[in-house]
Amino acid sequence: MATQITPTTELQAINTMLSAIGEAPVNSISGVTNVDVSVAINILDETSLSVQSEGWNFNTEYNVTYSIDDDSKIPLPSNCVQADAHATHRYQNVVIRDGKLYDLDNHTDVFTIVPPLDVVLVQQFEQLPEYARRYITVKAARRFAARFIGDAGLSELMSIDEQEAY
């Protein structure tokens, strides 16, 4: 019989983080007034952003193009945290500035042609594959415990869990 795997939800991730500091689980994270839960949510979001910003196979798209707008600029999606010229245009040195593509060599955000890009797009927690959710949850739990408790021994043990999740 096949094992049924249910992906980790944000609520489960928050409860994992709370358990790391010995707090009781919560039934909901909507409309939260509990400080510990609010801090856990912020740390989970911060950790998800930092992990995903590295660029993984699940959130990196290659050789994509975006449209030039009426001002000859190339706006990028709001969840785009990295943009680099695709291998066919590596001579062009581009980055993200103010949500738009910026040409570092020519010091401008005005383009006449659209270069193909390799981009990293941050996804919502529930859209991530389970292995990414698990790694982010364990890393966030370690950060949360370190900030709340500051116990070096606990942090070291949780670091081992984090390495295993990685």
Side-chain angles (χ1 to χ4, degrees), residues 77-113:
S78 60
N79 66 330
C80 184
V81 292
Q82 282 187 48
D84 198 9
H86 182 65
T88 57
H89 281 73
R90 286 284 183 220
Y91 62 86
Q92 194 164 15
N93 193 9
V94 294
V95 295
I96 301 170
R97 282 211 184 148
D98 194 27
K100 298 172 189 67
L101 198 62
Y102 184 84
D103 183 338
L104 288 168
D105 294 330
N106 296 307
H107 313 287
T108 185
D109 61 358
V110 174
F111 289 82
T112 55
I113 61 163

Side-chain angles (χ1 to χ4, degrees), residues 106-158:
N106 296 307
H107 313 287
T108 185
D109 61 358
V110 174
F111 289 82
T112 55
I113 61 163
V114 180
L117 302 172
D118 297 337
V119 295
V120 174
L121 304 170
V122 173
Q123 306 298 315
Q124 293 298 318
F125 190 81
E126 265 86 18
Q127 295 174 333
L128 298 173
E130 180 55 27
Y131 68 90
R133 293 181 199 197
R134 179 75 186 137
Y135 177 54
I136 290 166
T137 298
V138 172
K139 187 178 191 84
R142 181 189 52 77
R143 288 177 169 181
F144 183 63
R147 291 181 193 176
F148 263 80
I149 298 173
D151 180 335
L154 176 62
S155 196
E156 188 176 321
L157 286 173
M158 293 183 79

Side-chain angles (χ1 to χ4, degrees), residues 48-56 58-59 120-123 128:
S48 184
L49 178 61
S50 72
V51 167
Q52 289 191 60
S53 291
E54 294 175 30
W56 297 74
F58 60 82
N59 72 336
V120 174
L121 304 170
V122 173
Q123 306 298 315
L128 298 173

